[in-house]
């Protein structure tokens, strides 16, 4: 079982959209996938039609042996979710001195090929738990300069975690999101990111796409909501690339 964290401390970069749709395509490709919604906003949970969960990841962190009881199936074959609940908002305080809580939880999880974790848009205790627990990170990056500056800070945090909490931590790759190839800005950012990070940057690029924006309001991943859209094609390609890289870690 490989564990991937979908992480970026900057909000609005397509992090949850990437976590949900990547998980859906990996499951559609025959993998048994568990998505952990570590973001107190709960958008990954609601985006897969699981609004109103009374128990979920917060309870599982406190009682790892019962994680299976709090896991919920989705309409996508092969994809299950440990949902976010309102209580998770207070977990940051409780986990501030316990960076291994998520690691203990994952040690009790079995029966999956892949676990994806949608981390919150911050570098607080919840995200530190993610960095300490995962095998590798997938970093969504919006094609704009402010997002690029945030990536540098995240990489510094990753290096600190590699030096202490999680020496095995790797960066699986950076994926450009909300990409509008018609603008000079997007093209310049892509050139800079590929020039600096090289092969770490996925060749698959997620475009700005109305259907991707609409899908969460219908509580469906893009492969179900609009399978012929450009956004769906992008996430299918990304899922293929992710699997190729996962097999090497």
């Amino acid at each position: 079982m490989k564990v991937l964290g979908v992480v970026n401390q900057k909000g609005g970069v397509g992090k949850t959209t990437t976590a949900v749709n990547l998980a859906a395509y990996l499951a559609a490709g025959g993998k048994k996938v568990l998505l952990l919604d570590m973001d107190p906003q709960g958008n990954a949970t609601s985006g897969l039609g699981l609004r109103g969960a009374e128990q979920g990841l917060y309870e599982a962190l406190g009682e790892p042996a019962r994680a299976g009881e709090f896991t919920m199936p989705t309409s996508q074959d092969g994809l299950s979710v440990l949902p976010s609940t309102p209580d998770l908002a207070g977990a940051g305080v409780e986990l501030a001195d316990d960076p291994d809580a998520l690691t203990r939880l994952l040690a009790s999880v079995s029966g999956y090929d892949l676990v994806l974790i949608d981390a919150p848009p911050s570098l607080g205790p919840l995200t530190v738990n993610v960095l300490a627990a995962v095998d590798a990170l997938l970093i969504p990056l919006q094609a704009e300069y402010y997002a690029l500056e945030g990536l540098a800070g995240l990489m510094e945090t990753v290096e600190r975690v590699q030096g202490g909490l999680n020496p095995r931590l790797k960066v699986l790759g950076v994926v450009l999101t909300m990409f509008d190839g018609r603008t000079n800005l997007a093209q310049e950012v892509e050139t800079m990111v590929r020039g600096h990070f090289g092969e770490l940057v996925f060749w698959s690029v997620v475009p700005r796409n109305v259907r991707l924006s609409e899908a969460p309001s219908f509580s469906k991943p893009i492969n179900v909501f609009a399978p012929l859209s450009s956004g769906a094609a992008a996430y299918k390609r990304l899922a293929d690339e992710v699997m190729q890289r996962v097999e090497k870690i």
Side-chain angles (χ1 to χ4, degrees):
M1 185 178 78
K2 298 297 183 183
V3 184
L4 307 179
V6 184
V7 175
N8 193 318
Q9 79 271 28
K10 187 177 186 303
V13 299
K15 177 182 58 63
T16 297
T17 298
T18 295
V20 167
N21 292 306
L22 179 57
Y25 268 111
L26 290 169
K31 300 298 180 183
K32 184 85 169 177
V33 181
L34 175 64
L35 177 61
L36 270 63
D37 190 353
M38 198 81 173
D39 187 344
Q41 297 177 82
N43 291 332
T45 300
S46 61
L48 287 167
L50 301 177
R51 290 183 178 87
E54 295 183 359
Q55 293 183 311
L57 184 54
Y58 176 79
E59 286 75 18
L61 287 167
E63 299 182 79
R66 297 181 60 200
E69 298 178 31
F70 308 122
T71 301
M72 303 177 69
T74 71
S75 58
Q76 170 77 60
D77 288 344
L79 176 58
S80 299
V81 175
L82 248 176
S84 174
T85 59
D87 289 335
L88 191 60
V93 176
E94 298 173 23
L95 298 181
D97 297 318
D98 188 7
D100 295 321
L102 183 57
T103 302
R104 293 194 299 272
L105 168 60
L106 290 170
S108 71
V109 171
S110 61
Y112 297 95
D113 300 306
L114 288 162
V115 177
L116 268 67
I117 305 174
D118 183 26
S122 71
L123 288 177
L126 291 173
T127 301
V128 170
N129 257 264
V130 174
L131 296 177
V134 301
D135 298 305
L137 301 177
L138 188 150
I139 304 171
L141 178 70
Q142 187 179 0
E144 64 170 34
Y145 285 118
Y146 284 142
L148 192 57
E149 291 177 357
L151 179 59
L154 177 58
M155 288 301 191
E156 291 176 1
T157 301
V158 169
E159 289 179 4
R160 289 197 294 271
V161 171
Q162 289 170 327
L165 286 174
N166 185 0
R168 75 181 188 283
L169 178 64
K170 294 179 173 59
V171 176
L172 190 72
V174 176
V175 57
L176 289 164
T177 60
M178 302 180 184
F179 188 84
D180 187 346
R182 299 170 299 178
T183 67
N184 290 333
L185 174 60
Q187 294 176 26
E188 289 171 5
V189 170
E190 179 177 21
T191 298
M192 292 175 63
V193 172
R194 293 194 186 280
H196 187 74
F197 292 102
E199 294 183 355
L200 273 182
V201 185
F202 288 100
W203 287 110
S204 303
V205 173
V206 180
R208 284 196 177 275
N209 180 245
V210 172
R211 304 300 268 168
L212 278 175
S213 300
E214 293 174 339
S217 64
F218 289 86
S219 300
K220 295 177 180 178
I222 195 65
N223 66 321
V224 175
F225 178 69
L228 300 181
S229 64
S230 61
Y235 276 113
K236 185 177 187 306
R237 288 192 298 269
L238 179 62
D240 292 340
E241 266 196 276
V242 165
M243 281 312 306
Q244 292 173 11
R245 297 192 184 193
V246 165
E247 290 170 358
K248 297 177 182 178
I249 63 174

